[in-house]
Amino acid sequence: MWDLLDDDGARQTPAPSPLADVLSLFDEPDAGPMSWQERALCAQTDPEAFFPEKGGSTREAKKVCTGCEVRAECLDYALANDERFGIWGGLSERERRKLKRRVV
């Protein structure tokens, strides 16, 4: 690190590098507890598919979930928060209840 001194001999802080701004674009997204939602495929599709009417098809939503990189985080969230409606992590509410019974 360079030691920069002004005319009075006081230490100066170097100006931030423009490269730092560019490199910040490649930083990991906020690693908060819900950051997985930003990478979820369902966030890019019609939300109604994930909350079908009673007796409606869940096929479309589950198809999206199969290719989602955050499927496990989504399912963990639904199980931890006792989500009662919708498709979460590729499972319907009924499927999540069955899964919970097997785990407990």
Side-chain angles (χ1 to χ4, degrees), residues 4-80:
L4 301 176
L5 301 177
D6 65 13
D7 293 337
D8 297 331
R11 194 171 304 265
Q12 288 183 320
T13 305
S17 164
L19 182 60
D21 292 335
V22 173
L23 291 176
S24 71
L25 296 174
F26 297 99
D27 287 344
E28 285 292 315
D30 179 43
M34 299 298 284
S35 66
W36 60 267
Q37 288 185 340
E38 295 171 6
R39 300 185 327 269
L41 289 179
C42 60
Q44 303 165 26
T45 59
D46 181 13
E48 298 218 3
F50 294 87
F51 296 93
E53 295 291 324
K54 187 169 183 139
S57 176
T58 61
R59 187 177 310 143
E60 184 182 335
K62 288 180 177 185
K63 187 175 182 180
V64 172
C65 291
T66 59
C68 187
E69 70 178 71
V70 295
R71 184 177 177 180
E73 290 94 330
C74 180
L75 182 56
D76 287 344
Y77 173 84
L79 294 171

